């Protein structure tokens, strides 16, 4: 039985194995790497606007991000991660959804990239 090089899960010989950067990884780790949502995706924005439920379909974590941005205005990534206690990969995945729904966006404040509400008067 082999072990995934990324997460350490045991993989049976009948399981699908993938090679990623020279390592044998499980299907979940492979998909996490190749299926990362892209923030700047016009087709995703179009699709989200046509088929999305707006804020009704958001996860609790996505709602917490929006609440934080509403209360704190534009803020840098580090402050968001610290305040919400989440890792960068989770934030970026959730932020891509919020961006596609045109609920949140990134903006420059001075020389720093900050995140804010899409329709915010402060940015």
């Amino acid at each position: 039985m082999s072990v995934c090089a990324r997460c350490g899960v045991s993989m049976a010989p009948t399981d699908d194995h993938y090679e990623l950067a020279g390592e044998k990884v499980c299907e979940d780790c492979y998909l996490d790497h190749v299926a990362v949502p892209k923030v700047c995706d016009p087709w995703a924005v179009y699709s989200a606007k046509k088929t999305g439920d707006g804020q009704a379909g958001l996860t609790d974590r996505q709602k917490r991000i929006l609440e934080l941005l509403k209360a704190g205005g534009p803020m840098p990534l580090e402050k968001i991660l610290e305040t919400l206690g989440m890792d960068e990969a989770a934030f970026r995945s959730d932020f891509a959804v919020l961006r596609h729904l045109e609920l949140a966006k990134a903006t420059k404040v001075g020389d720093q990239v900050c995140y804010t509400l899409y329709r915010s008067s402060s940015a």
Side-chain angles (χ1 to χ4, degrees):
M1 199 172 264
S2 60
V3 175
C4 174
R6 297 279 170 116
C7 70
V9 70
S10 296
M11 299 183 295
T14 57
D15 290 344
D16 288 335
H17 300 105
Y18 297 88
E19 188 167 320
L20 187 61
E23 301 175 322
K24 275 192 176 182
V25 297
C26 67
E27 184 175 21
D28 288 340
C29 289
Y30 181 77
L31 288 175
D32 284 347
H33 182 76
V34 298
V36 176
K38 307 234 181 318
V39 174
C40 198
D41 185 346
W43 185 250
V45 171
Y46 173 81
S47 298
K49 288 169 78 174
K50 293 294 181 189
T51 62
D53 293 334
Q55 293 191 31
L58 297 179
T59 65
D60 288 339
R61 199 166 60 194
Q62 291 163 345
K63 289 176 186 175
R64 287 181 29 226
I65 293 170
L66 286 178
E67 290 167 7
L68 180 64
L69 294 177
K70 185 176 182 180
M75 61 179 50
L77 175 64
E78 297 78 23
K79 184 173 181 181
I80 294 170
L81 299 180
E82 180 182 325
T83 304
L84 296 178
M86 64 190 319
D87 64 34
E88 185 174 349
F91 171 77
R92 292 199 182 280
S93 178
D94 286 334
F95 179 76
V97 172
L98 298 174
R99 175 61 188 90
H100 295 160
L101 291 169
E102 295 185 337
L103 297 173
K105 65 180 181 176
T107 188
K108 281 280 231 180
V109 177
D111 63 344
Q112 190 172 38
V113 174
C114 292
Y115 298 86
T116 188
L117 297 178
Y118 194 83
R119 303 206 191 306
S120 173
S121 59
S122 59

